[in-house]
Amino acid sequence: MIILKILCLIFWLLIVPGCMGLLCFSFLEKRHRTPGAALIAGYMLQFGLVELIGIPIVIYVVYNGFSTFVYLLTPVFLLLGGLGALLFFRGRKRAAGIWQRRQRPGRIVSGYEPGRKSFVGIVSGAGTVSNVYGVYKGVLRRG
């Protein structure tokens, strides 16, 4: 029973918001299409839907308002999550940024701008090239 509850938590807190966030990928630049951006966009979409559905229920439903809220909100979340996953995996070429930006841990990656010194950084499993290069440009190149 505990394993089922843990799987439900993973489903409702990670998978559904992540799939809902995939709906917003057409509004993002390719470099911002990451799993974290999908999760944050999904949570923001969920917060907006909670407000749109929850406020009229609080105002107009006298008894069993929370049950009504759950019965209305659950299918909406599932529908938008399924739609986001369907559109993303169906048109993967358009939203391919989530798969292309990953580097292997420990791989040496070079970022080069013409007219400047080249920068070589070792990318760890937790960092990305853009983070390392941003620190390089912002801190080390002052002066």
Coordinates of all heavy atoms in Angstrom, one line a residue, residues 12 14 16 19-20 33-34 39 72 87 94 103 106 108 110 113 120 124 138 140:
W12 N 1.4 12.3 -9.5 CA 0.7 13.6 -9.4 C 1.7 14.8 -9.2 O 1.3 15.9 -9.5 CB -0.3 13.6 -8.3 CG -1.5 12.8 -8.6 CD1 -1.9 11.6 -8.2 CD2 -2.5 13.2 -9.6 NE1 -3.0 11.2 -8.8 CE2 -3.4 12.1 -9.7 CE3 -2.7 14.3 -10.4 CZ2 -4.5 12.2 -10.5 CZ3 -3.8 14.3 -11.2 CH2 -4.7 13.3 -11.3
L14 N 5.1 14.9 -10.2 CA 6.2 15.0 -11.2 C 5.7 14.7 -12.7 O 5.9 15.6 -13.5 CB 7.3 14.0 -10.9 CG 8.2 14.3 -9.7 CD1 9.2 13.2 -9.5 CD2 8.8 15.6 -9.8
V16 N 2.4 14.4 -14.0 CA 1.3 15.2 -14.6 C 1.8 16.7 -14.8 O 1.5 17.2 -15.8 CB 0.1 15.1 -13.6 CG1 -1.0 16.1 -14.0 CG2 -0.5 13.7 -13.7
C19 N 4.1 16.8 -17.8 CA 3.4 16.7 -19.1 C 2.6 17.9 -19.4 O 2.5 18.3 -20.6 CB 2.5 15.4 -19.1 SG 3.5 13.9 -19.1
M20 N 2.0 18.5 -18.4 CA 1.3 19.7 -18.6 C 2.2 20.9 -19.1 O 1.8 21.7 -19.9 CB 0.5 20.2 -17.4 CG -0.7 19.3 -17.0 SD -1.5 19.7 -15.5 CE -2.1 21.4 -15.8
R33 N 14.2 24.7 -23.3 CA 13.3 23.6 -23.3 C 14.0 22.4 -22.5 O 14.6 21.5 -23.1 CB 13.0 23.1 -24.7 CG 12.1 24.1 -25.4 CD 11.8 23.7 -26.8 NE 11.1 24.8 -27.5 CZ 10.8 24.7 -28.8 NH1 11.2 23.7 -29.5 NH2 10.2 25.7 -29.3
T34 N 13.9 22.5 -21.2 CA 14.5 21.4 -20.4 C 13.4 20.8 -19.5 O 12.3 21.3 -19.4 CB 15.5 22.1 -19.4 OG1 14.9 23.0 -18.6 CG2 16.6 22.8 -20.2
L39 N 8.5 21.2 -15.9 CA 7.9 21.0 -14.6 C 7.5 22.4 -14.0 O 6.3 22.4 -13.5 CB 8.9 20.4 -13.7 CG 8.4 19.8 -12.3 CD1 7.4 18.7 -12.6 CD2 9.5 19.3 -11.5
L72 N -13.9 18.1 -10.3 CA -13.7 18.9 -11.5 C -12.3 19.1 -11.9 O -12.0 19.1 -13.1 CB -14.4 20.3 -11.3 CG -15.9 20.4 -11.2 CD1 -16.3 21.8 -10.9 CD2 -16.5 19.9 -12.6
L87 N 1.1 15.7 -27.7 CA 1.6 16.7 -28.6 C 3.1 16.7 -28.6 O 3.8 16.9 -29.7 CB 1.1 18.1 -28.3 CG -0.4 18.3 -28.5 CD1 -0.8 19.7 -28.1 CD2 -0.7 18.1 -30.0
R94 N 9.8 19.2 -33.5 CA 9.6 20.6 -33.1 C 10.1 20.9 -31.7 O 10.5 22.0 -31.5 CB 8.1 20.9 -33.3 CG 7.8 22.4 -33.2 CD 6.4 22.7 -33.5 NE 5.6 21.7 -32.7 CZ 4.3 21.7 -32.6 NH1 3.6 22.6 -33.3 NH2 3.6 20.9 -31.9
Q103 N 24.5 16.7 -22.1 CA 25.9 16.3 -22.3 C 26.2 15.1 -21.4 O 25.6 15.0 -20.4 CB 26.9 17.4 -22.0 CG 26.6 18.7 -22.9 CD 27.0 18.5 -24.3 OE1 27.8 17.6 -24.6 NE2 26.4 19.2 -25.2
G106 N 31.3 14.3 -17.4 CA 32.7 14.2 -17.5 C 33.3 14.5 -18.9 O 34.4 14.4 -19.2
I108 N 34.5 16.6 -22.1 CA 35.1 17.9 -22.3 C 34.3 18.6 -23.4 O 34.2 18.1 -24.5 CB 36.6 17.8 -22.6 CG1 37.3 17.2 -21.4 CG2 37.1 19.2 -22.9 CD1 38.8 17.0 -21.6
S110 N 33.8 22.4 -25.5 CA 34.4 23.6 -25.8 C 33.4 24.6 -26.3 O 32.6 24.3 -27.2 CB 35.5 23.4 -26.9 OG 36.0 24.7 -27.3
E113 N 34.0 31.7 -29.1 CA 33.4 32.8 -29.8 C 34.6 33.5 -30.6 O 35.7 33.6 -30.1 CB 33.0 33.9 -28.8 CG 31.7 33.4 -28.0 CD 31.2 34.5 -27.1 OE1 31.6 35.7 -27.3 OE2 30.5 34.2 -26.2
V120 N 37.5 26.0 -22.5 CA 37.3 24.5 -22.4 C 36.9 24.3 -20.9 O 37.6 24.6 -20.0 CB 38.5 23.7 -22.8 CG1 38.3 22.3 -22.6 CG2 38.9 24.0 -24.2
S124 N 30.3 18.5 -15.5 CA 30.0 17.4 -14.5 C 28.5 17.0 -14.8 O 27.8 17.5 -15.6 CB 30.1 18.0 -13.1 OG 29.1 18.9 -12.8
G138 N 30.8 35.9 -16.8 CA 30.5 36.9 -15.9 C 31.5 37.2 -14.8 O 31.6 38.3 -14.4
L140 N 35.0 35.6 -14.5 CA 36.4 35.5 -14.9 C 36.9 36.5 -15.9 O 38.0 36.9 -16.0 CB 36.8 34.1 -15.3 CG 36.5 33.0 -14.3 CD1 36.9 31.7 -14.9 CD2 37.4 33.3 -13.0

